[in-house]
Amino acid sequence: MPRPRKWRKVCCLPESNRFGPLNVPLSGDQFIIMTVDEYETIRLIDLQDYTQEQCANQMKIARTTVQGIYNEARKKVAESLVNGKVLRIEGGEYKLCDGLEKSCGCGGCNRHRYEESLMEGNRES
């Protein structure tokens, strides 16, 4: 029996989930799908200047797993930029941070919890 997949810890979802050229017709072959965990590795390594080891600790996965996820994410960003395709961020094997951990340090957990409370407030209205 194969080993169960390990969920990747993600601090927050992207504020926008679609990026790319504005002049492309929205047909199925013009989209590239980036998973939320791929987005998180790009955010942590390229924006937050984490090492792959720090990123792995943050996401609660192995460094070699981070390396593979990061390489796939970079290929998708490059394909979007070079070939003028729309990049959509969705899906993946992740769990959102519950906001109770002090180790995140990114502020994303608090932002995520704030956004969730706003959405819950809108549902009650």
Side-chain angles (χ1 to χ4, degrees), residues 7-121:
W7 293 97
R8 291 93 191 246
K9 188 185 102 171
V10 171
C11 281
C12 55
L13 296 174
E15 290 184 29
S16 245
N17 68 343
R18 192 182 324 183
F19 304 91
L22 301 175
N23 59 351
V24 173
L26 297 179
S27 63
D29 62 338
Q30 289 299 318
F31 281 102
I32 298 170
I33 305 299
M34 175 182 280
T35 63
V36 173
D37 45 324
E38 289 171 336
Y39 161 81
E40 182 75 347
T41 61
I42 292 283
R43 187 184 73 79
L44 291 174
I45 294 171
D46 291 337
L47 187 62
Q48 300 292 325
D49 291 326
Y50 279 33
T51 64
Q52 287 184 5
E53 189 70 36
Q54 291 169 320
C55 180
N57 290 335
Q58 176 75 24
M59 293 179 73
K60 309 258 189 256
I61 55 176
R63 188 203 54 80
T64 53
T65 303
V66 165
Q67 186 176 25
I69 294 169
Y70 182 61
N71 287 339
E72 280 302 307
R74 288 177 52 211
K75 285 179 188 176
K76 291 176 181 182
V77 169
E79 186 177 352
S80 175
L81 289 172
V82 173
N83 296 327
K85 294 186 177 185
V86 175
L87 182 69
R88 283 192 350 207
I89 301 171
E90 60 186 42
E93 296 174 353
Y94 68 94
K95 283 190 177 184
L96 284 174
C97 180
D98 58 13
L100 302 176
E101 292 185 43
K102 301 286 186 208
S103 64
C104 285
C106 72
C109 300
N110 291 333
R111 184 180 83 193
H112 170 69
R113 287 177 46 209
Y114 174 72
E115 288 171 354
E116 267 188 356
S117 67
L118 285 178
M119 289 173 60
E120 288 172 7

